[in-house]
Amino acid sequence: PMELAMSAEAIKRYEAALERLSPHDRQLVILRVECGEEYSAIAAAMEKPSTAAARMACGRAVARLAQEMRRVG
């Protein structure tokens, strides 16, 4: 589904940027963006103390991903 919405070049930039993230941030992005997991599931999987903490961590990880995509692109 994500691949259908993105151009080939955008996918390459996304993948390159994803590789530049820390393993923790990469996992957060994959769980939320690629798998579409709910924040409650992410909180459990990533041992976050609350759903709100998972939401904030995902937001920060996605912001770092966007920064890396600008750098790569």
Side-chain angles (χ1 to χ4, degrees):
M2 184 179 75
E3 288 81 13
L4 296 176
M6 296 174 68
S7 70
E9 180 161 332
I11 291 171
K12 287 180 185 177
R13 282 193 356 250
Y14 168 80
E15 290 174 348
L18 193 62
E19 286 299 314
R20 294 176 64 107
L21 295 179
S22 71
H24 182 262
D25 282 352
R26 187 177 315 121
Q27 188 64 29
L28 287 167
V29 170
I30 289 169
L31 287 170
R32 184 65 183 159
V33 175
E34 294 187 21
C35 298
E37 291 289 344
E38 297 289 330
Y39 292 117
S40 58
I42 294 170
M46 301 297 290
E47 299 181 352
K48 297 291 179 189
S50 67
T51 300
R55 181 178 45 79
M56 291 180 72
C58 286
R60 288 189 297 268
V62 169
R64 285 190 277 273
L65 176 69
Q67 183 179 25
E68 288 297 329
M69 285 182 73
R70 285 189 296 273
R71 185 185 309 181
V72 171

